[in-house]
Amino acid sequence: MEERNYTKGLLEALLFLSSDPIKLSALAKSCGIEKTEARELLDELILDYQEREGGFLLREIAGGYQFITNQKFSEILSHIFKDKKRETLSRGTLDTLAIIAYKQPITLTELDEIRGVSSRAMVASLMSKKLVKAVGQKEVPGRPTLYGTTNEFLLHFGLSKLTDLPTPVEVKELKFEEFSLDSIVVTDETEMNPDFDLDSLPEELKEEKINE
């Protein structure tokens, strides 16, 4: 029992010191135990923090495990830490993100067909915020770029994996802002991350001004 408690405490310490989610395999290797035992101990830790109802919770998120602040304190914390980084997305960009999340991998042309309008500016904005990335090319004439969501997307929306997404009746009706954990600000304008290198965009996204 003493060895088990020691290993459980070591897992807790490793997670506390990390600013990013840590995969199960990495945690097990670091502690010198099997993944099945690591998962058991992590499940216990998750329950421990949940029952404690303190300021921190342990969650399986973005393919790993990470401590997060308890959401019941989010409102007061947002007032205290007013400079907290929040992504700005337009309603059209949120619409585009929802379609990519559920239909990935998807091409720009397919996005345009679903939305009925050009999605270039929205996809460029999402790439600049590291919520969407190019994941390959479709094997058709012209080999258009395929787009999919990133690990940052999972982190922003508190998801462990894509299958954790809720199932909407229609993808376009999903309102991501309802479970965005205060990480997304919805506006009426499409904005780019000013630090993003525009030259890294696929050529098809450079065909029109992305700020329009």
Side-chain angles (χ1 to χ4, degrees):
M1 178 61 70
E2 184 176 345
E3 183 179 348
R4 180 181 176 84
N5 287 337
Y6 174 85
T7 305
K8 184 176 175 180
L10 178 57
L11 284 168
E12 186 177 23
L14 287 168
L15 289 162
F16 179 77
L17 291 172
S18 176
S19 59
D20 299 308
I22 306 178
K23 291 185 177 181
L24 176 65
S25 57
L27 287 167
K29 184 177 180 180
S30 295
C31 295
I33 58 177
E34 296 296 323
K35 288 197 293 184
T36 51
E37 183 181 357
R39 186 178 289 280
E40 264 184 41
L41 294 173
L42 288 164
D43 286 343
E44 286 182 18
L45 279 171
I46 289 173
L47 187 59
D48 289 346
Y49 278 89
Q50 185 174 314
E51 291 178 343
R52 178 172 171 266
E53 294 189 345
F56 293 97
L57 295 172
L58 180 60
R59 287 284 183 266
E60 189 173 357
I61 184 172
Y65 291 83
Q66 184 179 35
F67 278 115
I68 62 171
T69 52
N70 193 327
Q71 193 172 359
K72 70 180 181 180
F73 302 116
S74 62
E75 185 175 349
I76 188 168
L77 288 173
S78 66
H79 287 298
I80 295 171
F81 298 98
K82 292 181 179 180
D83 59 343
K84 174 185 174 184
K85 181 181 177 183
R86 303 178 76 193
E87 292 294 356
T88 302
L89 298 181
S90 70
R91 298 176 193 284
T93 306
L94 275 173
D95 180 41
T96 302
L97 180 58
I99 295 170
I100 293 174
Y102 282 89
K103 298 291 186 180
Q104 61 185 307
I106 187 171
T107 66
L108 184 61
T109 299
E110 290 165 343
L111 269 169
D112 290 348
E113 288 176 354
I114 293 172
R115 297 189 64 240
V117 294
S118 173
S119 303
R120 285 193 183 96
M122 287 70 181
V123 176
S125 175
L126 290 167
M127 289 190 72
S128 79
K129 299 174 190 300
K130 298 182 180 180
L131 296 174
V132 164
K133 64 180 179 180
V135 296
Q137 293 177 302
K138 192 168 185 176
E139 295 299 326
V140 296
R143 292 175 56 81
T145 300
L146 288 165
Y147 299 95
T149 54
T150 64
N151 205 52
E152 289 291 327
F153 166 82
L154 296 176
L155 287 170
H156 267 289
F157 294 102
L159 303 170
S160 175
K161 50 191 179 299
L162 287 173
T163 51
D164 291 337
L165 281 167
T167 305
V169 177
E170 293 183 9
V171 171
K172 292 180 69 174
E173 290 182 357
L174 180 66
K175 297 180 180 179
F176 274 112
E177 60 266 34
E178 290 181 0
F179 62 101
S180 65
L181 305 180
D182 297 325
S183 63
I184 300 294
V185 178
V186 183
T187 71
D188 293 321
E189 296 182 3
T190 300
E191 295 183 10
M192 296 285 293
N193 180 348
D195 298 323
F196 182 70
D197 180 8
L198 296 179
D199 291 334
S200 65
L201 288 172
E203 287 300 318
E204 62 184 7
L205 299 182
K206 300 175 185 177
E207 294 181 17
E208 64 181 34
K209 293 180 181 179
I210 56 178
N211 290 324
E212 292 181 352

